[in-house]
Amino acid sequence: MVDPFDFANFDTDPAPQQTVDTSYLDGLNEGQRAAVEAVDGPVLVLAGAGTGKTRVLTTRLAHILNTRPVKPWEILAVTFTNKAAAEMRERTAGLVGPTAADIRLGTFHSIGVWMLRRHPELVGLGPSYTILDTDDQLRLLKQILTEQQIDTKKWPPRGLAAVIDRWKDKGLRPDQVVNLETNGFAHGRAAELYKIYQERLLDQNACDFGDLLLHPLTLLQANPDILAYYQNRFRYIMVDEYQDTNVAQYLLLRLLAQKHKNICCVGDDDQSIYGWRGAEVGNILRFEDDFPGADIIRLERNYRSTPHILGAAAGLIAHNEGRLGKSLWTEDDSGEKVTVKGVWDGQNEARWIADEIENLQRKGASLQDIAILVRASFQTRDFEECFLNMGIKYRVIGGLRFYERREIRDVLAYLRVINQPNDDLAFERIYNLPKRGLGAKALDTLRTIARDLHLPLSKAAEFVVENEVMKGKAHKGLSDLVDCFTSWREQKDIIPPDELVETVLDDSGYLEMWKQDKTSEAEGKRENLKELVKALAEYDTLDQFLEHVALVMEITADESADMVSIMTLHSAKGLEYDSVFLPGWEEGLFPHQRALDENGQQALEEERRLAYVGITRAKKRCFISYASNRRIHGQWQSALPSRFVDELPAEHIIEHSERGVYSSQRQDSDTATPAWRSSSETSHLASILEKRSRQNRQMVDNSSKPVKGDSGGIQLADRVFHQKFGYGRVVAKDGNKLEIAFDKAGIKKVMENFVKAV
């Protein structure tokens, strides 16, 4: 194998031509063969979902080596994952033998590392430089923010890291961003902080992950001789998943390809779904402008899905304007139409999907051939709860199970200490979360006192506060925490568990901590916390809920090969399953409202591409569902079906609601109501819909908490309404504490400001 760091191994003498066997071309279809044989000049291969893209890439590499006077190390092949690179090398070796090992093949970042190891001094680095991981990067940023006297609670290191990463994705050095929009971070000081950060990295002979693209780009732009060397060396360049390249990657490729212009980019503009992490779909859309005279080859024969699934996906994606266009087709039988199901709420949706999965099992389907693809991670909880109750085994791919997520475990720790003051493990997790001036020294003090007095840590904390063992900020932070736990325990048996956890989230500052977090992950964390509130609303007491969680954690520890896969749509790209369920197709959830608010039409088209990716993961069956209502943060909210439902071609779908077959033709008005295909039910169902709408509005209104101190005039024997327990009558009153005999839930103790007189 050629030493990748040895320049002496590189020469420009052409490899001798040999007569070779090209029988590997025989199994290719017309489009695939055209893509393989078009080896000279710029080529863009638009590879639709399930069209055999990997086969084209590996066969094309073999064909170049077999038919052109080129050596393996004169070929650059770039992928997005190490797994894809390993697969490509293995399959190429199966066609051309061990010579495939000498192809310069890897991810963009591994290619960047390779270049930097050769020329570190030209970007200010020394030999054996260090690549910082995320934790080290955040630690360094925090040091800089502290030195610059910037409040890290208001302007957290993660927020600054996100701003800097976006600039590096665009190939921008500190001197190039001085006059650019800085997202308001630290009152416009982000560019200044970026410059300090880069200087500090060089001082420590280190770089971060973004520098593995930015430094090679700087290297080539600033050193014409180095650029000329690599342009001469790489006579053929191939790029996989081109639609997912960011600006820095695009600029690197364009520089390297200028000499020979033998560049082949393979991708699908309809599957560009990573704009939120820097991917620029415009890179693939302007390929012909960058390389005039380029061949555009479309791979349109699909080997994965049925005609109905392809037809539904094609009809949906056709509504995007920013695309090059292609039409997937297959020779397979039509198969089943895409099922579209309207349900009442998220729990009904989970039960319907569980029932469908059991029906598939009865017909011989394996669980490992079934997937549920959600738009947001908080959606998984309903399915996890339902599947546990019904004994359906599942795994969460690309993420943790709901109750294993960091933010959920943090809040569970608060609830465990409220419920059981002796729980030292839970107390240690949250005693300084969010930060309240209690470091490792404070914890050591608490541990020492707890051991000496034979107390749990939470009781030791009370002792420390009462006797003023700590001073200053530590005393204040611990005193506030002790007061909070005292208050929460007093409310534990009076207010419902969901209202208790809302109080904990507010009083502790934990929810505010995630509101202040400026990273892309924070929104998902907040959505998961809202889902946790919803979870507690299903239980009468905190004890019941914590017992349930303990059982869930124990049961889900069991692993088995045959399980339903649950994941987000973003995690599903590149995967395929016989049966795919796509829940939550509602306006505001999918397309996601936050994305639309931030990026408008551009975001809408990416959301539509995400829907297209979801549908095309299905091989035999695809099920789409939406709920008329979802309970979010303790309140019922009505929802309209996603606009994407309306965009599915009628000839490829069969649509059902809980009461009939439904046509989702939408009016322009926000108050539009569905039209029912069964005309005989029109009047009856319209009245039901309106009644449900009034009920939803009432539920939302009644869930609003009055201002503290507002008695609401509720007296003994008054008729009242509570969002969780429904209607009831007051049978006892002690100040603002009520004892109510509910019609269905029995006698409960609740706070007065959580009910409304009726």
Side-chain angles (χ1 to χ4, degrees), residues 20-27:
V20 295
D21 178 13
T22 58
S23 59
Y24 50 76
L25 298 174
D26 296 342

Side-chain angles (χ1 to χ4, degrees), residues 505-544:
L505 288 170
D506 290 337
D507 293 351
S508 67
Y510 190 80
L511 182 59
E512 183 63 24
M513 179 185 78
W514 287 114
K515 286 181 179 179
Q516 293 298 326
D517 194 303
K518 307 300 181 182
T519 64
S520 59
E521 303 161 346
E523 176 68 20
K525 304 288 188 186
R526 294 194 294 269
E527 288 179 340
N528 289 337
L529 292 174
K530 293 176 184 178
E531 188 65 18
L532 179 63
V533 174
K534 172 185 169 185
L536 273 100
E538 299 168 14
Y539 295 87
D540 292 333
T541 67
L542 183 59
D543 290 296
Q544 291 177 356

Side-chain angles (χ1 to χ4, degrees), residues 453-698:
L453 300 179
H454 304 289
L455 295 172
L457 288 175
S458 64
K459 294 298 182 183
E462 294 176 8
F463 176 88
V464 167
V465 170
E466 290 171 3
N467 293 276
E468 298 187 3
V469 175
M470 296 179 186
K471 304 298 180 184
K473 190 175 181 180
H475 174 78
K476 175 67 165 58
L478 192 61
S479 177
D480 289 346
L481 182 63
V482 168
D483 288 346
C484 281
F485 273 114
T486 300
S487 174
W488 296 334
R489 290 191 183 110
E490 289 174 352
Q491 298 178 67
K492 180 175 80 77
D493 296 322
I494 299 175
I495 64 176
D498 56 328
E499 294 169 5
L500 175 64
V501 76
E502 285 186 285
T503 303
V504 171
L505 288 170
D506 290 337
D507 293 351
S508 67
Y510 190 80
L511 182 59
E512 183 63 24
M513 179 185 78
W514 287 114
K515 286 181 179 179
Q516 293 298 326
D517 194 303
K518 307 300 181 182
T519 64
S520 59
E521 303 161 346
E523 176 68 20
K525 304 288 188 186
R526 294 194 294 269
E527 288 179 340
N528 289 337
L529 292 174
K530 293 176 184 178
E531 188 65 18
L532 179 63
V533 174
K534 172 185 169 185
L536 273 100
E538 299 168 14
Y539 295 87
D540 292 333
T541 67
L542 183 59
D543 290 296
Q544 291 177 356
F545 173 73
L546 291 175
E547 287 174 7
H548 168 74
V549 172
L551 292 173
V552 166
M553 298 294 281
E554 180 67 24
I555 293 171
T556 55
D558 178 40
E559 290 292 335
S560 170
D562 194 29
M563 292 181 172
V564 175
S565 296
I566 306 176
M567 71 194 84
T568 64
L569 284 157
H570 285 100
S571 300
K573 191 167 177 291
L575 303 178
E576 58 183 45
Y577 297 88
D578 285 349
S579 302
V580 170
F581 292 87
L582 303 171
W585 279 43
E586 299 134 32
E587 283 295 305
L589 178 54
F590 194 37
H592 202 285
Q593 191 60 49
R594 180 170 56 89
L596 300 183
D597 291 342
E598 292 177 357
N599 293 301
Q601 182 65 24
Q602 181 181 348
L604 174 60
E605 296 212 348
E606 181 159 318
E607 291 284 295
R608 191 176 283 114
R609 291 194 292 269
L610 192 56
Y612 173 85
V613 166
I615 294 172
T616 54
R617 299 312 93 196
K619 296 162 67 175
K620 298 178 180 179
R621 290 168 290 272
C622 182
F623 303 83
I624 294 170
S625 57
Y626 57 87
S628 299
N629 309 274
R630 284 201 187 271
R631 195 175 190 196
I632 299 177
H633 211 359
Q635 294 184 350
W636 284 103
Q637 296 185 6
S638 298
L640 286 171
S642 168
R643 68 192 75 188
F644 299 155
V645 172
D646 290 343
E647 295 171 358
L648 298 170
E651 63 270 25
H652 295 297
I653 68 170
I654 180 167
E655 190 166 1
H656 299 278
S657 75
E658 290 184 321
R659 291 183 176 270
V661 180
Y662 169 75
S663 171
S664 57
Q665 298 173 353
R666 191 185 312 287
Q667 303 172 26
D668 292 335
S669 169
D670 289 340
T671 59
T673 56
W676 297 83
R677 287 180 180 164
S678 177
S679 59
S680 62
E681 294 186 308
T682 300
S683 177
H684 174 61
L685 293 173
S687 65
I688 291 178
L689 189 63
E690 175 60 25
K691 180 179 179 181
R692 287 181 173 179
S693 178
R694 287 197 303 270
Q695 289 174 339
N696 278 344
R697 289 195 295 270
Q698 183 184 41

